[in-house]
Amino acid sequence: MVDAGPLVRPFALRAGSPSAAAGRPRRGGVPDVLAAVRAADPGDADREPAPEVAAILRACTAPRRVADLAAELGMPLNLLRHLAGELIAEGRLLLERPCGPPRPERGTDILTRVLEGLRSL
């Protein structure tokens, strides 16, 4: 017999999170893929029953970018961003710094910067 894999969608893992149940607003939201995060208490991973969350906490003993973390753990990027956002809201994961340039407000701003960069070459 072939194992069908998990029967619960990954986003359902944290549906009953303490921050959602207590009605507390989320402080950080979903982190950017280039944001660096680290565990507030690295020993917290040993007490975590959810294996996905424990893996995130174990991997974040030092600041790690969200995109690198998703690749290393083999998790879909959106799942990792969702779980990291919940952990940030609970105070178990700390947002170190949003890496990279600020996002442009309009789509044409980035094209203008690319064009200026190409002209300067």
Side-chain angles (χ1 to χ4, degrees):
M1 180 179 259
V2 176
D3 182 18
L7 299 177
V8 177
R9 298 237 354 130
F11 284 105
L13 291 172
R14 303 284 291 175
S17 69
S19 61
R24 280 182 258 152
R26 290 177 55 156
R27 291 182 300 219
V30 177
D32 187 60
V33 296
L34 295 177
V37 293
R38 72 173 171 85
D41 178 13
D44 195 22
D46 299 332
R47 299 181 294 276
E48 176 59 48
E52 294 83 2
V53 174
I56 292 169
L57 293 172
R58 263 189 229 101
C60 289
T61 55
R64 306 286 308 277
R65 288 185 186 211
V66 171
D68 296 337
L69 196 56
E72 180 183 307
L73 297 177
M75 285 186 193
L77 183 59
N78 283 336
L79 170 63
L80 188 96
R81 289 180 67 207
H82 173 74
L83 293 175
E86 288 293 323
L87 291 170
I88 290 168
E90 293 171 11
R92 297 173 68 193
L93 204 60
L94 304 173
L95 187 61
E96 287 290 309
R97 59 189 178 276
C99 301
R103 293 181 180 217
E105 293 183 17
R106 297 186 325 244
T108 57
D109 290 346
I110 189 84
L111 295 174
T112 303
R113 283 194 223 152
V114 169
L115 185 58
E116 289 170 359
L118 289 172
R119 285 183 181 150
S120 68
L121 292 176

